[in-house]
Amino acid sequence: MVALANLAQALLFLTGLFYLLLSLRGFFKGRRPAADGTMRRFAVILPAYNEEKVIQFSIESLRALAYPADKFYIFMVADHCSDATADLARSAGVTVLEHS
């Protein structure tokens, strides 16, 4: 039983170490353009549930990224929101997917 616990701890440690090294590699390697010289595009998905008090701050923070604004997209999944979260995000230009 002790050996099994030690094995589980070793696996958890190695998994954490792997993710730490992967993160450090990305941090020090920095942002690189794609093979054709253009910047890569990506999407940010914001899950939200009754976030009307903070959703605008979240969107503004994403828009302030040091990355070309035309190279990333913001999507929000509004999960059974009963407030104005979805409307506020839409008014900020975010694509909103509502789950009701």
Side-chain angles (χ1 to χ4, degrees):
M1 198 60 132
V2 173
L4 186 60
N6 288 340
L7 178 63
Q9 287 177 343
L11 286 174
L12 285 173
F13 173 76
L14 290 175
T15 302
L17 183 63
F18 170 75
Y19 282 113
L20 174 65
L21 293 175
L22 190 63
S23 297
L24 289 174
R25 178 181 174 264
F27 179 75
F28 288 114
K29 196 170 187 181
R31 184 173 22 144
R32 292 183 314 162
D36 62 356
T38 61
M39 297 299 289
R40 292 181 171 89
R41 287 189 260 173
F42 65 94
V44 177
I45 301 173
L46 289 173
Y49 173 74
N50 292 343
E51 306 284 340
E52 75 177 340
K53 293 181 181 177
V54 296
I55 196 67
Q56 288 178 320
F57 174 76
S58 298
I59 293 168
E60 289 170 8
S61 294
L62 288 169
R63 296 228 191 265
L65 288 173
Y67 205 83
D70 63 330
K71 298 296 181 187
F72 69 94
Y73 307 95
I74 304 171
F75 296 92
M76 187 186 82
V77 178
D79 187 24
H80 301 289
C81 292
S82 60
D83 62 1
T85 301
D87 295 331
L88 290 171
R90 269 191 211 94
S91 68
V94 173
T95 302
V96 177
L97 307 168
E98 288 190 74
H99 184 259
S100 51

